Amino acid sequence: MEDEKDKVREDSDDQLINGAFQHLLDCYLASRHRKKVDIITKAFNFARQAHKGVRRLSGEPYIMHPIAVAQIACEEVGLGSTSICAALLHDVVEDTDYTTEDIENIFGPKIAQIVDGLTKISGGIFGEQASAQAENFKKLLLTMSDDIRVILIKICDRLHNMRTLESQPANKQYKIAGETLYIYAPLSNRLGLYKIKSELENLSFQYEHPDEYNSIKSKLASTEASRHELFDQFTAPIEESLRQMGIKYEIKERVKSPYSIWNKMQNKHVTFDEIYDILAVRIIFTPDKREEEVNECFNIYVAISKIYKSHPDRLRDWLNHPKANGYQALHVTLMSKQGRWIEVQIRSDRMDEIAEQGFAAHWKYKDGMEKEFTEDESELNEWLRTIKEILDDPQPDAMDFLDAIKLNLFASEIFVFTPKGEIKTMPTGCTALDFAFSIHTFLGSHCIGAKVNHKLVPLSHKLKSGDQVEILTSKAQHVQASWINFVSTAKAKAKIQAILRRNGREIQKRGEDILDEFLKKNDIESTTAVADKLTIFHEQRNREEFLQALGEKTILLGEKDLDELQGKNSDDNKKGWRRLVPFLGKNKAKKEDTTQEFFIVPEKFNRKKPIFINDDNIGQYKFRHCCHPIPGDDILGFIDNKHRIEIHKRDCPVAAKLKTSYGNRILDAKWDMHKRLFFDATIHIEGIDRMGMVMDISKVISSQMNVNIHKLTITSEEGVFDGDIEIRVHDREDVKTIIDQLKTIEDLQEATQIM
């Protein structure tokens, strides 16, 4: 009977696997690549045999994952046979007994090199070492600068993992969603994979904030009909005009993604109904001659701006200066007859394909279509070069490293001219000093100022698109610690930190000599314990900082230090400390002492199960001040170095880094509160000033809601006021109710919670 069941299951598996592989082949054969079906079939059969009998957490045969990754690489990124084979084989070396040498002998050096790169990235991804993810990210970037297909396949792999994330426990979901938002979505954006970047963001959002995700999805669904109507009315005269011009075109409706909408709601403190750019219109045309496509974009712009009035400040020209990820288009914002601003994106079919598929689509428009992939895009190479420089001198701290890379991944661009008129692409918000370091480290480290458009400016001057910049240097100038505060590019930050570290090591050495001399003079043995004791005594963060301060002579050793080392200083406050429940207000219901010891995570702790925070055990958890979570917020737990549990909001910036670098320490956390304790919350208000406004606000909060106002600060200027109300509430629900009530007050325009 069992054998029969196994046979049925095996047949069902074979049907599933063969169907998925056939679909992959069909997509490949429909592409414009050279038709190397044999090697793809060989890679599939090899991987199928290697993964035989293994299943994923979802229960499906493991081989379905490599097939799905290859499918994404082929269909959604537009890669060819080499990449498809590497995608099919990407887990073989890591999960089976086969080696990279085996792959090379059977499939050749190119496929083996890519598989090896993918294996290096994956190694120890859930390892115990504190910054496993940051280390993997370094490996990923190193392999990427050898062959960009490694990172493209890795992104395909991550996309499939995100699409099948529901089979993972919640703590793994937060870890994987967190690192996806922190690393893979910006990487996809940088490589021009806009569609994939959007899906990665939405999937991460769906797992981290399911309620908000579902709420936005249902609101988008309920407003769909009115959006279609607006789109049809808006595009009808445009279509008529394009037909008269004889242009082959397609007009698409582009709806803002749930993640983008949520992001805007958070950043601008607005509701769903207050977001006006949910709808955008995309005009995609096929030019008669490829060299005429830029002119054609402007012709279309001129034609449609005769129909609708355009917004003068919102014309974005990425035609003559494409974005660093290859994106080209002309964006214009027009006023519809319904009184709504609507963004129109004008691009050719080639530009559209590159916008959707990124650099991988470039090969289609190069001479000789048998080329599978080219990496001769100067902007991409420039970016890879910057990353290589950062990797040559990596930060000692994994977090710093990730931040440095993020600076370059997220940056949108401006165009700056050198004195000779050459164009340099720089990130928005960069300074004259960033520009100096982008040209040469020597120029940056000896920079004393700059001439921007022939006017003298300081190092910290922020550059704008179109600026012409000449760097001024002096051999007497040296890198200052304060420079780190006003550079914004990864390259400049990395170089400044490297020089400061080198200088710091010299100063620390001087500090060590001063300490040794002091201890020797007073017959005290020089040990690390002695140095640590003095570090704590002088309230320095670590021994390195203490030695640096000694070397810089900002700390001078004397009698008090001797007394401390000989145990003559006594301070009762240092003997022990007790801790109260975090940021709780006065609570009449609990008069007993709320002092509690922190919960210490035991060695055999089940990290897959959620922890529940209730009124009685809340004092056992650490609540950090980075995000002030209160009941009702989406939260997670993080096991710190002392095995205590910190509680963060899931969208807290600190938590984002923790998920990425310390994913194996993330826990699922849930509230189980019963409105017995109070928490601090701040509401920001704005409106038209009038007599009795403060009284109305107080009445709503104190009388109607029966909530205690802790502090009220209001500033009024020229008839407009804004202010903050600090209140004590039980949970997020209380805050929402108070905000809804405040919005009913006449002349009060805005009420939002400050995070």
Side-chain angles (χ1 to χ4, degrees):
M1 191 67 186
E2 280 299 315
D3 291 349
E4 213 171 291
K5 269 188 187 171
D6 289 345
K7 181 81 177 74
V8 169
R9 191 176 188 184
E10 213 171 287
D11 289 348
S12 159
D13 285 351
D14 284 348
Q15 217 173 335
L16 186 73
I17 294 164
N18 292 336
F21 181 62
Q22 191 54 51
H23 178 53
L24 169 65
L25 278 185
D26 293 345
C27 286
Y28 172 67
L29 289 167
S31 75
R32 291 151 79 177
H33 286 282
R34 285 183 292 172
K35 305 298 177 263
K36 294 186 179 175
V37 174
D38 292 352
I39 195 160
I40 292 175
T41 309
K42 187 176 169 184
F44 161 66
N45 289 327
F46 184 85
R48 185 181 193 170
Q49 192 55 44
H51 294 300
K52 197 172 175 61
V54 183
R55 294 188 179 275
R56 298 188 88 208
L57 278 179
S58 58
E60 69 176 12
Y62 192 88
I63 186 66
M64 293 300 289
H65 168 63
I67 295 172
V69 174
Q71 182 71 41
I72 295 168
C74 173
E75 188 176 11
E76 298 179 52
V77 185
L79 297 173
S81 60
T82 304
S83 301
I84 292 168
C85 291
L88 287 167
L89 300 165
H90 80 272
D91 279 334
V92 166
V93 175
E94 192 188 346
D95 295 343
T96 74
D97 294 333
Y98 289 104
T99 63
T100 310
E101 286 72 32
D102 295 331
I103 303 289
E104 187 170 346
N105 292 335
I106 302 166
F107 296 99
K110 196 73 220 165
I111 291 171
Q113 186 192 351
I114 298 171
V115 171
D116 185 45
L118 288 158
T119 307
K120 279 180 185 152
I121 299 164
S122 301
I125 204 157
F126 299 120
E128 286 305 308
Q129 64 270 44
S131 52
Q133 260 317 94
E135 285 308 315
N136 280 313
F137 192 41
K138 281 184 194 177
K139 290 178 195 165
L140 178 146
L141 291 164
L142 279 167
T143 51
M144 175 178 170
S145 47
D146 292 332
D147 191 324
I148 197 113
R149 283 175 288 196
V150 173
I151 183 58
L152 290 169
I153 297 165
K154 186 64 194 168
I155 287 169
C156 299
D157 179 38
R158 175 51 57 119
L159 180 57
H160 186 245
N161 284 335
M162 286 302 295
R163 285 174 178 173
T164 54
L165 198 58
E166 72 274 1
S167 52
Q168 292 280 0
N171 63 328
K172 280 277 170 68
Q173 287 178 348
Y174 302 151
K175 169 207 181 301
I176 294 166
E179 66 192 32
T180 298
L181 265 189
Y182 198 74
I183 292 174
Y184 291 97
L187 254 181
S188 306
N189 185 49
R190 186 63 195 214
L191 295 170
L193 303 167
Y194 181 76
K195 220 169 158 184
I196 287 178
K197 168 232 173 199
S198 258
E199 190 178 346
L200 288 173
E201 286 174 342
N202 279 329
L203 287 165
S204 300
F205 174 42
Q206 183 182 340
Y207 285 101
E208 293 216 292
H209 303 284
D211 294 343
E212 280 102 326
Y213 175 80
N214 291 327
S215 162
I216 290 171
K217 282 284 279 186
S218 66
K219 281 174 182 164
L220 280 173
S222 66
T223 54
E224 191 175 11
S226 62
R227 254 196 330 274
H228 285 333
E229 194 181 330
L230 175 64
F231 174 78
D232 291 341
Q233 289 170 355
F234 179 76
T235 54
I238 293 176
E239 293 206 48
E240 182 54 40
S241 177
L242 294 175
R243 273 197 295 272
Q244 285 174 8
M245 291 166 76
I247 291 170
K248 284 180 268 182
Y249 71 91
E250 184 187 358
I251 294 189
K252 287 182 183 173
E253 185 178 346
R254 194 226 66 183
V255 179
K256 215 174 181 66
S257 71
Y259 175 77
S260 299
I261 292 169
W262 179 75
N263 228 357
K264 198 158 193 178
M265 285 164 69
Q266 301 302 305
N267 296 336
K268 305 259 188 212
H269 300 297
V270 292
T271 63
F272 179 89
D273 300 323
E274 292 170 292
I275 294 177
Y276 292 113
D277 60 347
I278 285 173
L279 173 72
V281 171
R282 195 169 281 163
I283 300 172
I284 300 157
F285 66 92
T286 307
D288 293 330
K289 292 180 185 164
R290 193 57 62 199
E291 60 272 17
E292 288 296 314
E293 62 183 358
V294 170
N295 289 341
E296 199 70 275
C297 283
F298 281 106
N299 292 341
I300 292 170
Y301 163 60
V302 170
I304 61 176
S305 56
K306 284 176 185 169
I307 304 167
Y308 297 110
K309 187 172 170 50
S310 66
H311 195 301
D313 299 329
R314 281 159 72 180
L315 178 70
R316 300 280 179 269
D317 172 13
W318 284 300
L319 295 172
N320 297 308
H321 300 299
K323 285 187 181 184
N325 61 15
Y327 181 83
Q328 266 185 299
L330 186 64
H331 289 197
V332 53
T333 303
L334 303 170
M335 175 58 79
S336 71
K337 299 279 191 281
Q338 290 77 15
R340 292 269 293 272
W341 287 110
I342 293 177
E343 185 181 74
V344 179
Q345 301 166 357
I346 306 165
R347 49 169 93 148
S348 69
D349 52 355
R350 179 191 69 86
M351 294 173 191
D352 184 60
E353 200 156 356
I354 290 165
E356 295 298 311
Q357 292 192 338
F359 276 107
H362 277 271
W363 66 271
K364 293 187 181 180
Y365 299 97
K366 300 250 174 234
D367 297 332
M369 282 198 299
E370 65 284 346
K371 255 188 177 181
E372 185 194 67
F373 188 82
T374 59
E375 203 201 323
D376 61 358
E377 308 303 329
S378 59
E379 289 289 5
L380 179 62
N381 274 341
E382 183 62 38
W383 180 59
L384 289 175
R385 233 191 332 274
T386 300
I387 285 170
K388 265 188 164 166
E389 286 185 12
I390 295 165
L391 290 164
D392 287 341
D393 188 74
Q395 313 297 314
D397 183 352
M399 293 300 202
D400 289 351
F401 169 77
L402 285 170
D403 278 348
I405 295 294
K406 288 266 290 183
L407 285 171
N408 265 32
L409 290 178
F410 269 144
S412 50
E413 298 89 11
I414 59 168
F415 302 99
V416 182
F417 295 90
T418 67
K420 289 180 181 171
E422 293 163 17
I423 289 185
K424 290 274 294 179
T425 305
M426 297 292 292
T428 304
C430 72
T431 60
L433 188 57
D434 283 307
F435 183 74
F437 273 106
S438 79
I439 294 168
H440 199 280
T441 306
F442 179 86
L443 211 58
S445 49
H446 294 286
C447 177
I448 51 168
K451 279 185 177 176
V452 173
N453 307 325
H454 311 293
K455 282 186 189 157
L456 201 60
V457 296
L459 302 177
S460 57
H461 177 83
K462 285 198 174 175
L463 302 177
K464 297 194 295 293
S465 230
D467 281 347
Q468 188 166 27
V469 188
E470 182 189 347
I471 299 299
L472 308 173
T473 59
S474 160
K475 283 185 179 169
Q477 175 71 295
H478 296 290
V479 171
Q480 313 290 314
S482 60
W483 287 8
I484 211 82
N485 301 322
F486 56 77
V487 289
S488 67
T489 56
K491 183 175 179 177
K493 264 194 176 15
K495 292 294 177 194
I496 292 167
Q497 282 170 335
I499 294 164
L500 289 174
R501 275 202 303 279
R502 197 166 61 236
N503 296 347
R505 282 195 288 272
E506 289 166 16
I507 296 166
Q508 271 180 42
K509 182 74 185 78
R510 212 158 52 227
E512 270 179 49
D513 295 342
I514 292 167
L515 179 61
D516 288 344
E517 206 177 307
F518 173 77
L519 296 174
K520 198 173 174 185
K521 200 168 95 182
N522 292 288
D523 292 330
I524 297 169
E525 192 189 345
S526 177
T527 63
T528 52
V530 166
D532 288 343
K533 197 167 188 181
L534 290 175
T535 300
I536 294 162
F537 180 63
H538 285 282
E539 296 178 343
Q540 298 296 303
R541 279 190 304 185
N542 52 46
R543 200 184 320 147
E544 286 72 25
E545 271 191 20
F546 169 63
L547 293 172
Q548 183 127 355
L550 279 183
E552 288 168 345
K553 303 213 166 107
T554 52
I555 288 177
L556 300 171
L557 299 173
E559 288 299 317
K560 283 187 178 175
D561 298 280
L562 279 179
D563 291 345
E564 175 66 19
L565 293 172
Q566 289 158 5
K568 292 177 186 172
N569 285 339
S570 79
D571 181 351
D572 292 336
N573 292 332
K574 286 183 183 173
K575 285 180 183 169
W577 52 278
R578 301 198 317 154
R579 174 183 167 281
L580 291 175
V581 176
F583 53 88
L584 297 184
K586 290 168 191 162
N587 179 13
K588 291 168 191 162
K590 280 180 86 117
K591 287 202 175 160
E592 71 270 16
D593 183 9
T594 52
T595 303
Q596 278 180 308
E597 290 297 316
F598 283 124
F599 171 71
I600 302 297
V601 176
E603 206 171 310
K604 290 187 176 171
F605 184 71
N606 186 347
R607 298 184 183 200
K608 290 182 182 178
K609 280 190 174 175
I611 52 167
F612 288 91
I613 301 169
N614 58 43
D615 304 85
D616 299 317
N617 71 9
I618 191 167
Q620 296 178 14
Y621 301 104
K622 279 180 80 180
F623 283 76
R624 299 297 304 270
H625 291 291
C626 44
C627 57
H628 286 300
I630 70 172
D633 284 329
D634 289 336
I635 52 168
L636 53 77
F638 169 71
I639 302 168
D640 71 9
N641 292 335
K642 293 181 179 173
H643 305 288
R644 300 171 304 191
I645 296 175
E646 293 179 5
I647 303 297
H648 293 268
K649 286 187 189 174
R650 281 182 221 156
D651 56 350
C652 160
V654 173
K657 292 186 198 177
L658 297 174
K659 283 179 279 197
T660 303
S661 280
Y662 306 100
N664 56 317
R665 299 202 219 160
I666 298 294
L667 304 172
D668 184 16
K670 299 191 185 315
W671 298 104
D672 181 24
M673 306 294 283
H674 300 93
K675 292 190 182 281
R676 279 161 52 197
L677 301 176
F678 287 92
F679 297 80
D680 287 340
T682 305
I683 294 172
H684 181 73
I685 49 171
E686 294 172 19
I688 312 298
D689 201 8
R690 60 166 170 80
M691 290 284 286
M693 177 59 82
V694 176
M695 197 167 78
D696 288 352
I697 291 166
S698 306
K699 206 185 285 176
V700 162
I701 295 173
S702 305
S703 311
Q704 289 181 25
M705 305 299 303
N706 199 21
V707 169
N708 179 22
I709 296 179
H710 182 49
K711 188 178 175 186
L712 176 59
T713 321
I714 289 185
T715 311
S716 178
E717 199 175 324
E718 295 178 2
V720 174
F721 77 86
D722 70 77
D724 293 329
I725 314 164
E726 289 179 25
I727 49 176
R728 297 243 158 92
V729 293
H730 291 300
D731 51 31
R732 176 73 57 233
E733 206 178 297
D734 284 0
V735 180
K736 190 183 179 310
T737 311
I738 291 164
I739 286 174
D740 290 345
Q741 287 297 320
L742 285 170
K743 284 181 175 175
T744 63
I745 297 172
E746 191 186 345
D747 292 331
L748 194 142
Q749 308 285 325
E750 197 62 66
T752 51
Q753 192 200 346
I754 297 176
M755 297 300 164

